[in-house]
Amino acid sequence: HLEAWPWPVKVHTLGRFSLTIDDEPLSFSSRAQKKPLDVLKIILSGGGSNVSEASVADLLWPEADGDMAMQAFATNLHRLRKLLGRPDAVLLLNGILSLDPKLCWIDARAFELSLGKAEDLWDKAESEEEFDKACELISSALSLYKGEFLPDEDFIPDAIAMRGHLHTRFLQGLYNLGEHLIRSGRYEEAHQSLER
């Protein structure tokens, strides 16, 4: 989940949508890239894994009959893989789509993993040092949250649900951090964190 690792594909979804391929930002100038990117956004909205290809086809081509929608999906999946420069970055197995976690860094996934580790440590913490360590992890996770998940994608129902879920996780992490800082008498740090 470390962003600094040399990931072949990096995807930012929190506060903005951007792609970096081999450390080079990808520009979205071509209109032909819209549908492949929509396929990617639907996969991301499903958490990056276990997304049905049929549900993607139904959402993006609702007027097309089943075969035509699946053909359009296959074409745009091919275009997405080509756009990412890594055919193996988007996995399709038995009708289920996933982004390969060995090749793709996703800020929302890194946020969830980091916050999950911090919350586990928080729940087990007994000493001030353990709470401090949990707060460091919480603060690190919160730094990944740059804003709402895919803020411009209201046509994807799962994006709206994921947006609410991640925002709730952010607020809970912020609450835990602020509570500990106040309890520790570190009011200025608490103020700065809560003001954010």
Side-chain angles (χ1 to χ4, degrees), residues 78-144:
H78 174 75
R79 288 179 180 159
L80 173 61
R81 287 172 166 163
K82 189 174 178 182
L83 186 67
L84 297 177
R86 300 294 296 252
D88 50 346
V90 184
L91 307 172
L92 176 60
L93 184 61
N94 299 323
I96 302 298
L97 290 158
S98 297
L99 297 175
D100 189 335
K102 295 179 198 119
L103 300 176
C104 302
W105 179 87
I106 305 165
D107 60 353
R109 184 178 356 201
F111 169 74
E112 288 245 73
L113 287 171
S114 297
L115 200 53
K117 287 180 182 180
E119 289 168 345
D120 287 345
L121 188 56
W122 180 272
D123 291 341
K124 296 173 187 170
E126 295 178 1
S127 69
E128 204 60 28
E129 294 79 26
E130 291 172 329
F131 277 112
D132 284 343
K133 179 63 178 165
C135 283
E136 285 176 29
L137 289 174
I138 290 172
S139 187
S140 175
L142 295 181
S143 71
L144 291 169

Side-chain angles (χ1 to χ4, degrees), residues 35-54:
K35 285 293 186 188
L37 291 174
D38 286 345
V39 170
L40 176 60
K41 290 172 185 177
I42 293 170
I43 297 168
L44 292 165
S45 297
S49 61
N50 300 318
V51 176
S52 160
E53 67 179 332

